[in-house]
């Protein structure tokens, strides 16, 4: 697999990437950061002179999506950090995306302009109104070529829908509605209506002391607009059908794996919390990530996952120290490849893991500056727990827990992946094989 690296330069906290998302064609890639900015990268088209240039992503547009705010009623600061970005299916020449911080969701339009009108009758070249007495003849305005300009404009602002922090947004397959989820509620919005939303899930108990779990992620089914899933901090998944009732507090399916009593410990509930859930492109499966594993669930089998993959089982003996430094609460994301045959998720030390569902092979790769030279080949890495160590092995005791791959994205049809490592964005591409090895 060859690779390239795009650096979001500077090292302040505001530049740490907090979300990564390809659009539906994979030609655009958006990142959001803790400073409230959205950076969009565009894939370069292949040319006859440079046949290998396709696949390289360059900065297309940068804009400030959210600003820090203050809730005077609750005396709370609202961070500008972008929690999620979701692209809308393209309806015309312009592109649209949703971005959200903890409280406010915004719909943005991204369009191009390479012509400008000239020859107005009532305005001069700078746009000022002419004195009507000086207009002696009429002319037809014409469009003149100009340097390409990318314009980003806010189309809608969806606010006041959430009391708690928004952790997920998901666009429905009907292309008209989307949902947003916080710790205790999920709301359904229409893309054209900003002043109201419909509450479709509410797990807030009458007495907050009775609270036992929170919502951690939610996503619409890719093909059935009535179905959605949400995950919980207790490790369960609930599939809901909006045809059954307006309020989907009663799920139609509950996916939960029975806990092995022999593995029960103080940390069991923390490490079983689901940090991400993704439907497969086919809609048949769901992919979930908890602290130590990724699991593939079949929608038709509720009792246990179809497949379980250990991401970094060597950390099981380190849970106490990971609890003390708060790393045990890190929320790792997961991703499918275009054919649903390979899954990817992040780990520590800037490592990320890939699992081939067909061959059952897995690989650990590293996103680092050393491997970011153009057309460099990524070498598999191996973490050594004890005993004999090979030359390139890294000891579990020397892992850097400040370097973590939390946010990843996979191109919808090709073997191109985007990896966010703190304030660096790495883009890797398999230019040899059509399937990930």
């Amino acid at each position: 697999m060859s690779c390239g690296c795009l650096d979001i330069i500077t090292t302040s906290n505001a530049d740490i990437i907090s979300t990564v998302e390809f659009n539906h064609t994979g030609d655009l890639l958006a990142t959001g950061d803790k400073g409230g900015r959205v950076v969009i990268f565009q894939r370069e088209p292949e040319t006859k002179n440079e046949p290998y240039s396709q696949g390289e992503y360059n900065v297309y547009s940068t804009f400030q999506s959210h600003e820090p705010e203050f809730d005077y009623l609750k005396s709370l600061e609202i961070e500008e950090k972008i929690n999620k970005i979701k692209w809308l299916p393209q309806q015309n020449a312009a592109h649209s995306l949703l971005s959200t911080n903890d409280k406010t969701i915004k719909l943005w339009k991204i369009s191009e302009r390479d012509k400008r009108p000239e020859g107005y009758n009532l305005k001069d070249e700078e746009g000022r109104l002419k004195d009507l007495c000086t207009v002696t003849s009429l002319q037809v305005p014409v469009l003149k070529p100009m340097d390409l300009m990318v314009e980003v404009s806010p189309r809608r602002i969806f606010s006041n829908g959430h009391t708690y922090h928004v952790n997920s947004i998901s666009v429905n397959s009907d292309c008209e509605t989307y949902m947003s989820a916080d710790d205790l509620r999920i709301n359904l919005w229409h893309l054209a209506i900003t002043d109201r939303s419909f509450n479709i899930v509410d797990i807030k108990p009458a007495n907050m002391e009775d609270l036992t779990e929170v919502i951690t992620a939610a996503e619409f089914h890719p093909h059935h607009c009535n179905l959605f899933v949400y995950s919980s901090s207790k490790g369960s998944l609930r599939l809901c059908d909006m045809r059954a009732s307006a309020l989907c507090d009663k799920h139609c399916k509950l996916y939960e794996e029975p806990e092995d009593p022999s593995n029960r410990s103080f940390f069991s509930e923390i490490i079983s919390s689901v940090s991400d859930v993704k439907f497969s492109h086919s809609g048949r499966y769901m992919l979930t990530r908890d602290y130590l594993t990724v699991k593939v669930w079949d929608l038709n089998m509720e009792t246990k996952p179809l497949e379980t993959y250990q991401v970094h089982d060597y950390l099981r003996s380190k849970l106490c120290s990971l609890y003390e430094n708060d790393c045990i609460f890190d929320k790792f994301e997961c991703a499918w490849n275009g054919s649903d045959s390979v899954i990817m998720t992040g780990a520590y030390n800037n490592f990320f893991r890939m699992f081939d569902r067909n061959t059952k092979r897995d690989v650990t790769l590293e996103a680092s500056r050393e491997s970011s030279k153009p057309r460099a080949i990524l070498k598999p890495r191996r973490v050594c727990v004890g005993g004999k160590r090979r030359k390139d092995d890294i000891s579990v005791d020397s892992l850097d827990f400040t370097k973590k791959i939390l946010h990843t994205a996979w191109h919808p049809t090709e073997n191109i992946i985007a990896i966010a490592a703190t304030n660096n964005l790495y883009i890797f591409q398999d230019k040899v094989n059509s399937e990930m090895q």
Side-chain angles (χ1 to χ4, degrees):
M1 178 183 278
S2 57
C3 65
C5 167
L6 292 165
D7 291 336
I8 314 298
I9 300 168
T10 71
T11 54
S12 70
N13 194 49
D15 298 299
I16 295 174
I17 299 172
S18 52
T19 185
V20 184
E21 189 80 11
F22 280 103
N23 75 337
H24 293 79
T25 63
D27 291 333
L28 296 177
L29 171 66
T31 67
D33 65 25
K34 287 193 172 182
R37 290 182 300 269
V38 172
V39 182
I40 301 173
F41 299 91
Q42 185 182 46
R43 190 180 187 187
E44 293 300 316
E46 187 174 347
T47 63
K48 289 182 180 178
N49 298 332
E50 298 178 272
Y52 300 106
S53 66
Q54 188 177 19
E56 292 183 5
Y57 286 78
N58 293 318
V59 175
Y60 179 63
S61 179
T62 303
F63 62 95
Q64 188 73 31
S65 173
H66 287 72
E67 302 278 359
E69 297 175 53
F70 191 80
D71 187 332
Y72 291 96
L73 288 174
K74 297 178 181 174
S75 295
L76 280 175
E77 284 187 26
I78 302 170
E79 275 189 312
E80 64 270 37
K81 174 192 164 195
I82 307 296
N83 291 343
K84 291 290 176 187
I85 290 173
K86 291 293 175 186
W87 291 91
L88 273 62
Q90 192 173 0
Q91 307 285 352
N92 49 43
H95 297 273
S96 300
L97 64 78
L98 290 167
S99 63
T100 184
N101 66 350
D102 285 342
K103 301 288 183 185
T104 305
I105 305 153
K106 296 184 181 182
L107 173 63
W108 297 91
K109 177 185 175 183
I110 301 103
S111 55
E112 292 183 353
R113 192 150 60 94
D114 60 359
K115 292 182 175 67
R116 67 167 178 268
E118 287 185 4
Y120 285 113
N121 290 292
L122 303 179
K123 293 179 184 177
D124 61 21
E125 290 179 2
E126 295 180 7
R128 293 185 297 244
L129 285 173
K130 293 180 182 177
D131 184 350
L132 294 181
C133 299
T134 63
V135 179
T136 56
S137 62
L138 293 177
Q139 58 184 347
V140 177
V142 294
L143 291 173
K144 293 281 183 74
M146 60 176 276
D147 291 339
L148 180 68
M149 180 184 294
V150 179
E151 295 180 328
V152 180
S153 54
R155 304 296 295 186
R156 308 267 192 281
I157 297 177
F158 306 88
S159 54
N160 303 320
H162 288 276
T163 307
Y164 306 97
H165 292 178
V166 177
N167 56 45
S168 302
I169 49 176
S170 179
V171 180
N172 200 344
S173 59
D174 64 11
C175 301
E176 291 185 353
T177 57
Y178 76 93
M179 69 176 174
S180 56
D182 65 25
D183 296 334
L184 297 178
R185 296 188 180 101
I186 300 175
N187 292 337
L188 180 69
W189 302 79
H190 193 284
L191 284 162
I193 302 170
T194 60
D195 59 354
R196 65 183 181 274
S197 62
F198 297 95
N199 180 229
I200 53 175
V201 172
D202 188 346
I203 65 167
K204 183 182 178 183
N207 183 356
M208 284 295 277
E209 289 181 4
D210 298 331
L211 184 68
T212 58
E213 63 181 334
V214 295
I215 298 166
T216 55
E219 185 171 71
F220 269 119
H221 191 279
H223 309 304
H224 301 298
C225 62
N226 53 291
L227 294 177
F228 68 92
V229 67
Y230 69 93
S231 59
S232 88
S233 56
K234 278 195 165 180
S236 60
L237 301 171
R238 289 174 174 86
L239 186 71
C240 301
D241 189 339
M242 291 191 291
R243 295 173 301 183
S245 65
L247 191 64
C248 300
D249 283 352
K250 290 187 173 67
H251 50 268
C252 61
K253 287 192 176 185
L254 174 66
Y255 303 85
E256 203 166 31
E257 186 174 23
E259 188 183 22
D260 183 353
S262 63
N263 284 338
R264 180 74 189 165
S265 74
F266 171 77
F267 306 108
S268 294
E269 193 166 311
I270 301 173
I271 63 173
S272 66
S273 175
V274 176
S275 56
D276 195 18
V277 59
K278 295 272 171 61
F279 276 107
S280 63
H281 296 84
S282 67
R284 172 68 188 269
Y285 306 104
M286 295 180 293
L287 178 65
T288 62
R289 171 69 204 262
D290 57 41
Y291 191 66
L292 294 177
T293 67
V294 279
K295 295 172 182 173
V296 175
W297 298 80
D298 189 320
L299 256 66
N300 299 325
M301 188 168 76
E302 300 167 60
T303 52
K304 63 177 182 178
L306 191 66
E307 302 155 22
T308 300
Y309 301 95
Q310 299 296 330
V311 178
H312 39 208
D313 199 50
Y314 46 78
L315 294 182
R316 200 173 286 275
S317 61
K318 305 275 183 188
L319 293 178
C320 191
S321 57
L322 290 165
Y323 177 78
E324 289 173 357
N325 63 17
D326 283 347
C327 284
I328 201 169
F329 300 106
D330 286 334
K331 293 176 170 56
F332 292 93
E333 295 174 4
C334 52
W336 296 92
N337 74 336
S339 61
D340 300 332
S341 60
V342 183
I343 56 182
M344 171 178 64
T345 190
Y348 292 107
N349 210 68
N350 276 3
F351 289 167
F352 59 98
R353 304 268 284 136
M354 288 185 176
F355 303 91
D356 190 311
R357 297 180 59 210
N358 297 327
T359 64
K360 302 302 177 188
R361 289 191 296 175
D362 64 270
V363 66
T364 301
L365 301 168
E366 182 180 8
S368 66
R369 289 181 177 272
E370 288 70 34
S371 63
S372 65
K373 293 166 186 172
R375 284 184 278 282
I377 304 298
L378 282 182
K379 294 178 182 175
R381 302 301 308 269
R382 185 170 171 270
V383 177
C384 175
V385 181
K388 290 184 179 179
R389 227 169 98 184
R390 297 180 199 165
K391 182 183 175 186
D392 294 327
D393 286 0
I394 182 166
S395 165
V396 67
D397 295 316
S398 57
L399 292 173
D400 188 343
F401 293 104
T402 63
K403 294 179 178 178
K404 54 192 88 170
I405 305 290
L406 299 177
H407 312 289
T408 60
W410 203 310
H411 189 288
T413 56
E414 298 181 40
N415 279 330
I416 299 174
I417 57 174
I419 307 288
T422 320
N423 63 319
N424 295 320
L425 176 66
Y426 295 88
I427 295 178
F428 301 107
Q429 180 178 17
D430 184 352
K431 293 191 177 179
V432 181
N433 303 304
S434 59
E435 287 298 324
M436 197 63 58
Q437 297 300 310

